[in-house]
Structure formats: C-alpha cells, structure tokens
Amino acid sequence: MGVTEITQGADGQFRGAGSAGGSQNLPSGVEPPVSTPDSKRSGDSPAPTMYAEERRQAIVRMASARGRVAVTDLAATFAVAPETIRRDLDVLVRSGLVDRVHGGAIPRSSFGTAESTARERRTTRGEAKAAIARAAMAYLPEAHGSIILDGGTTTGALAAEITLRAEQDPSTGPLTVITDSVRTGLELSTTHNLSVHLLGGVIREVTETVVGATALTMLGRVAADVAFLGTNGLSAAYGLTTPDVEEAAVKRLMATRSQRCVLLADSSKFDSDFLCTFAELDQIDVLITDAQPPTRLAQALAQNEIEVVIA
C-alpha cells in the first residue's frame, strides 16, 4: 500500500505526495494510515503515520485555523476517499467538535451545549483513556482511603482498572468509592474490598449520571481523600467546562469535597470551552492526559503549579 506524505508549503497549504511502501495487514475496521500534515521532518527518520482518530484531530485543528474546511480538500490532503472524510465529520459532529455545513464543516461554536452520549464516547479514544486510567492508579489513596469518582468514560476506564487490580490481588486494602455514575456504581458494586456509595437524584440519560438537589445534598455531606474528575473542555481562559448546568453543579461540588483533585482528560479536551465552568485551574492538583498541552494551556497549568502527567 502506498503511503502518502503530507507537507505544508510556504503558502500554508497542505499537499500530498505519494511514495512507495510495503503492504500492511490492518485489523478489520482500522483505516490505513497516512502521514500527518506536520510530519515532514529533517533527518532520516521516517514520517509518523496517522490513523482515523489522529486524522480527526487534525481536521478539528484545520477547521479552527481556517474557519471552514471542505470535504474534497480534506480528502486530497489526507489521501482518503470523500466518504471517509464524511464519516470523520459525522463522528466530530456527534462529539461536539465541529458543525456540518454544505460540502464541509466549520468549527464548533464556542461555549456550546452539544453533547455526545456516554455510549458514543465509549467508542472513541479508547487506548488514550485506558493509558490515562492506568497512570491514575498511582494516585489512589492507601488502604481504607476514599475517592470521589466522577461520571465519564475516562473515569469509567479508571473504575475498570480498580476492578482489575482487585481481581489480580485480592489482598488489596479496602477502598470507599463515591460516584454519580450509575454505570460505574453498578460495575464496582461487586468488586472485592470496595464500599460503593452511589449518589441519588435524577438520572441524565446522555451521561448516565445523577444530578439535582438530592445528589448535591448527599455529596455535600461527604469528603474524600482524592476526587477523580472528568471534563468536556479544558482551557487556560475558562478552566474546566461542561455543557449542562445541572451536571456542572455536581462536578463543581465534587471539586471541593476532597483533599486532592485529579483531572483525567485526553488531549481532545484541550482548548475546548462549553457553557458551564465548574472548576478553575487552581482547584486542580494533577492533570493526567495523553499528550503535551498546547503552549498557552501548558503555561497556565505551570502557573497554577498543576502536576501534568503524560500517560
């Protein structure tokens, strides 16, 4: 299979040039890689390859930089079929990252309320979330400690890691888990040496979490060693944001009910802003992510003395 090298010319436009390459046997459903738009590097090392999720992130960056991207131009840039780009855009729309227009897409409006479902989010960035969850295990308290575990798919990956540890090492000390996630509560309820407290309230179908006055009252009566939070957006200007007002209220209280606050957020959350800020950067002690944050965000994290862990 030929590998296409994408380079950026002096005029700022991305162009592709074919080069010979050996065939690859890829798993079913995995699209062949192409080179990244910024993969032209000096030296003899080969250019890195780009898979579907990386291509989608590049599309989001290009839409933000240009204000609009066209399906035909993207197909030529990444050397894939227009139908592949349309599928990419459909995924990005469901994730709230771009809006579709005739023939292409535009950046998502700032401070939006678009929200993908938990089921949809469980199918994206699985490897990154799993890596983040494994790194987060180092921040669990000692035996007989307690944690607040926010709803979300990355925090859900941490719940899976906690269960795996308990299965592999039955001698693991007791841990108390307080969560607003119905799915996480049920999954952890049968795990050895865990005491699981599920907040009450109204269930939000889109996130599979509980919100409302009952959840806030229960949460206000507990305190934990560590809170593991998820977020929809993370930026230097607006901190941690989420689309829903009621969800934000629960997250906001979670951020104040522990001695240490650990944020689990993959790099797709960087420089995204949604309707509701639920925590400022200075409320976070640790960020565990899968890539180096962009310059402005990295500077803000450093100014607030936030430990950044790249999983």
Side-chain angles (χ1 to χ4, degrees):
M1 179 187 66
V3 176
T4 300
E5 184 177 8
I6 306 298
T7 60
Q8 186 174 15
D11 59 358
Q13 297 297 311
F14 293 121
R15 298 181 176 86
S19 62
S23 62
Q24 292 180 316
N25 294 320
L26 296 175
S28 176
V30 176
E31 298 176 15
V34 298
S35 298
T36 61
D38 59 352
S39 65
K40 184 67 174 177
R41 303 177 188 273
S42 59
D44 297 327
S45 59
T49 56
M50 175 181 286
Y51 287 92
E53 184 60 35
E54 296 171 303
R55 184 176 64 245
R56 290 163 190 159
Q57 292 182 45
I59 291 171
V60 172
R61 291 194 295 269
M62 293 166 69
S64 297
R66 300 176 180 179
R68 183 186 181 107
V69 288
V71 169
T72 52
D73 292 342
L74 292 172
T77 297
F78 296 108
V80 295
E83 291 76 13
T84 299
I85 296 298
R86 292 189 183 97
R87 288 195 296 270
D88 287 342
L89 295 180
D90 288 341
V91 171
L92 295 174
V93 168
R94 290 196 299 269
S95 299
L97 297 173
V98 300
D99 292 322
R100 287 297 302 268
V101 294
H102 180 68
I106 59 176
R108 179 186 55 82
S109 301
S110 296
F111 314 112
T113 58
E115 192 171 9
S116 56
T117 67
R119 179 177 297 180
E120 290 170 336
R121 286 183 283 116
R122 279 193 289 271
T123 66
T124 62
R125 300 189 62 79
E127 291 185 5
K129 293 172 183 178
I132 291 169
R134 289 191 293 270
M137 292 292 288
Y139 294 86
L140 289 176
E142 296 181 355
H144 301 283
S146 57
I147 66 171
I148 293 173
L149 192 54
D150 189 12
T153 52
T154 310
T155 48
L158 174 57
E161 287 294 323
I162 293 173
T163 297
L164 180 63
R165 184 184 71 167
E167 292 173 348
Q168 294 178 341
D169 183 10
S171 66
T172 301
L175 178 68
T176 297
V177 180
I178 302 156
T179 184
D180 63 337
S181 168
V182 177
R183 183 184 180 92
T184 294
L186 289 172
E187 289 181 349
L188 293 180
S189 64
T190 58
T191 301
H192 174 71
N193 255 352
L194 290 187
S195 174
V196 181
H197 299 253
L198 177 62
L199 300 179
V202 179
I203 299 175
R204 288 194 73 224
E205 181 182 3
V206 67
T207 57
E208 301 172 355
T209 57
V210 292
V211 297
T214 302
L216 295 173
T217 298
M218 293 179 66
L219 190 56
R221 292 174 177 169
V222 299
D225 295 305
V226 185
F228 292 96
L229 300 182
T231 187
N232 296 78
L234 175 64
S235 73
Y238 296 98
L240 286 63
T241 56
T242 195
D244 184 75
V245 173
E246 289 193 300
E247 190 107 25
V250 174
K251 289 176 175 286
R252 187 175 297 117
L253 189 54
M254 282 183 170
T256 69
R257 304 304 297 173
S258 67
Q259 293 181 332
R260 196 177 202 188
C261 197
V262 179
L263 176 63
L264 310 184
D266 69 70
S267 55
S268 69
K269 312 298 176 61
F270 294 163
D271 289 339
S272 293
D273 297 308
F274 288 81
L275 182 66
C276 306
T277 294
F278 65 88
E280 303 295 342
L281 291 181
D282 61 8
Q283 294 178 259
I284 304 302
D285 297 296
V286 183
L287 166 64
I288 305 179
T289 186
D290 64 315
Q292 183 64 38
T295 302
R296 186 183 178 195
L297 178 57
Q299 291 173 343
L301 295 168
Q303 290 169 359
N304 285 280
E305 300 181 342
I306 297 170
E307 178 185 357
V308 177
V309 178
I310 310 298

